[in-house]
Amino acid sequence: MSDLTKNNSSSSNESQNNPIMVEVTRGNMVESIHRASYAVVDTDGKVVLSGGDYEKVTYGRSAIKCMQALPLIESGAADAFNLTDAEISIACASHDGQPEHVETVKKWLAKIGCTEDDLECGSHLPYHIPSMVDLLKSGGSESTLHNNCSGKHTGFLTVCKQLGYDLKGYVKYEHPLQQRILGAMETMCGMDLGDAPRGVDGCGIPVIGAPLANIALAMARFADPSDQPEARQEACLRINKAIAAEPFMIAGSDRFCTKIVEATKGRALIKTGAEGVYTGIIPELGLGIALKADDGVTRSAETVIGMILRHLKVIDDATAQAMKDVLEPPLFNRAGIQVGQVRAAQSVRF
């Protein structure tokens, strides 16, 4: 499905198994391993760094929310409703439901004349444990505002308001909003997705399958959209700026995405997705990253993208040392004693 140019160092057909990228130690033994595939692509479609089967069709899940936010800018909705960087960032977020997240979404809904009842994402308790405890202690309960995708869905409602689309059923594949998003994905990924595998995400919207390398191409076009139409260029740059300015909104105070964007001062705009998917936008290099952990475990995907960012020198040695426990987290037992570590596999060679 991919028309991308492969480098000479790796081929998707070299092995049936993706490489072991991450080791989990306990004591002096490797207890678990994680395999992953990844692609780093430039705006010409050249795969400049890769491992494993990077042509395998993958659901981008929440890692591609920046693409789903493009109509929010291109439709004129962001300007019409005077959206802030915080609101645009949370439109691309998988947030933890901390009070600041909830309040941002609530105020944004009021701005467009909607309420939490208009959100079709479903509800769950905050992922941020202290926020969940505080909510329950106060007698509160879960709502659609706490859903980690509530910002994205508020963005969808904002586009519907701007373009006169029906608010009901905006999550359906046939809805004009979702078709508009599909069109944006096709141009960014550089391929026809009409016959691509399709499913339903956790928040109810369609998920569309695409090869990892094409997802990475889309991220490269965010990094350097200069070959895109003017409206698309402006949308990409505005989304990048918002995430860099408001990294807390993209995830939360304890989250890997937020910490990396903060530590790199926006040089790396990364985003997690369910089932071990990660993407990265590297504006200064004009590169996009996409990866998938075979077992769908977040800890492995975070470690892999950290390795890639270090290899690309977006995370320098000093920053890596300061973030050692984030990039290769220690494991503790119930007594608080370190018993192991999640780390780059010793066999990894870029």
Side-chain angles (χ1 to χ4, degrees):
M1 296 179 67
S2 171
D3 295 321
L4 299 168
T5 304
K6 301 176 185 178
N7 64 9
N8 294 323
S9 62
S10 176
S11 168
S12 60
N13 297 317
E14 282 182 1
S15 171
Q16 292 183 340
N17 292 324
N18 287 324
I20 297 170
M21 299 293 294
V22 178
E23 300 173 341
V24 184
T25 67
R26 186 173 296 269
N28 59 2
M29 189 181 84
V30 173
E31 185 175 33
S32 299
I33 59 171
H34 298 285
R35 295 180 182 272
S37 52
Y38 62 92
V40 181
V41 176
D42 67 18
T43 53
D44 292 327
K46 180 181 178 182
V47 180
V48 300
L49 188 69
S50 65
D53 187 2
Y54 57 82
E55 290 187 338
K56 183 178 180 180
V57 175
T58 301
Y59 288 136
R61 303 298 297 270
S62 289
I64 62 166
K65 283 182 177 176
C66 58
M67 275 197 281
Q68 295 164 342
L70 284 169
L72 180 62
I73 313 299
E74 294 176 348
S75 68
D79 287 334
F81 290 98
N82 297 312
L83 297 191
T84 65
D85 284 343
E87 289 163 339
I88 294 172
S89 183
I90 207 168
C92 304
S94 298
H95 66 75
D96 267 356
Q98 292 177 250
E100 299 92 331
H101 297 129
V102 174
E103 191 63 20
T104 298
V105 173
K106 187 175 182 179
K107 288 181 177 178
W108 182 4
L109 285 167
K111 183 189 293 189
I112 63 172
C114 291
T115 72
E116 62 191 83
D117 293 333
D118 292 305
L119 297 172
E120 297 182 354
C121 53
S123 62
H124 59 68
L125 288 168
Y127 290 156
H128 184 248
I129 300 301
S131 297
M132 179 183 68
V133 171
D134 288 345
L135 177 69
L136 296 176
K137 279 185 175 180
S138 69
S141 59
E142 66 184 50
S143 77
T144 54
L145 296 174
H146 299 109
N147 188 297
N148 73 107
C149 296
S150 64
K152 175 179 73 176
H153 281 249
T154 302
F156 292 164
L157 289 171
T158 306
V159 177
C160 290
K161 282 277 190 174
Q162 175 70 8
L163 298 179
Y165 296 159
D166 190 348
L167 299 186
K168 298 295 184 182
Y170 68 83
V171 298
K172 301 296 185 182
Y173 179 79
E174 297 80 11
H175 193 280
L177 169 71
Q178 296 302 330
Q179 288 299 300
R180 193 180 183 101
I181 292 169
L182 177 62
M185 288 180 59
E186 288 182 328
T187 56
M188 293 296 281
C189 291
M191 63 186 303
D192 182 354
L193 295 171
D195 295 323
R198 191 169 85 226
V200 178
D201 212 330
C203 67
I205 71 164
V207 286
I208 311 297
L212 269 182
N214 289 81
I215 296 173
L217 172 62
M219 297 303 113
R221 287 173 169 167
F222 264 95
D224 178 8
S226 57
D227 66 345
Q228 299 296 300
E230 185 176 347
R232 178 62 49 83
Q233 292 182 43
E234 293 175 358
C236 290
L237 294 174
R238 189 166 178 182
I239 288 169
N240 291 352
K241 173 181 173 291
I243 295 171
E246 296 284 353
F248 169 78
M249 288 297 167
I250 201 71
S253 57
D254 297 332
R255 294 276 298 283
F256 187 85
C257 296
T258 292
K259 290 178 179 179
I260 295 296
V261 177
E262 287 177 340
T264 63
K265 296 180 173 57
R267 295 175 65 208
L269 305 173
I270 66 167
K271 180 69 183 68
T272 187
E275 298 300 330
V277 182
Y278 244 98
T279 60
I281 300 166
I282 315 298
E284 68 186 54
L285 300 178
L287 296 176
I289 305 168
L291 67 90
K292 172 76 167 75
D294 286 8
D295 54 15
V297 176
T298 298
R299 71 180 182 186
S300 56
E302 290 176 346
T303 303
V304 173
I305 199 160
M307 294 160 56
I308 293 171
L309 293 175
R310 287 206 64 186
H311 177 77
L312 296 175
K313 301 190 184 306
V314 178
I315 295 179
D316 58 27
D317 290 343
T319 303
Q321 184 59 38
M323 300 187 69
K324 182 173 176 56
D325 287 353
V326 175
L327 296 171
E328 296 192 325
L331 300 179
F332 299 93
N333 67 9
R334 297 296 183 187
I337 299 169
Q338 184 175 347
V339 296
Q341 186 179 33
V342 182
R343 70 186 188 192
Q346 300 301 299
S347 59
V348 172
R349 297 289 183 272
F350 284 112

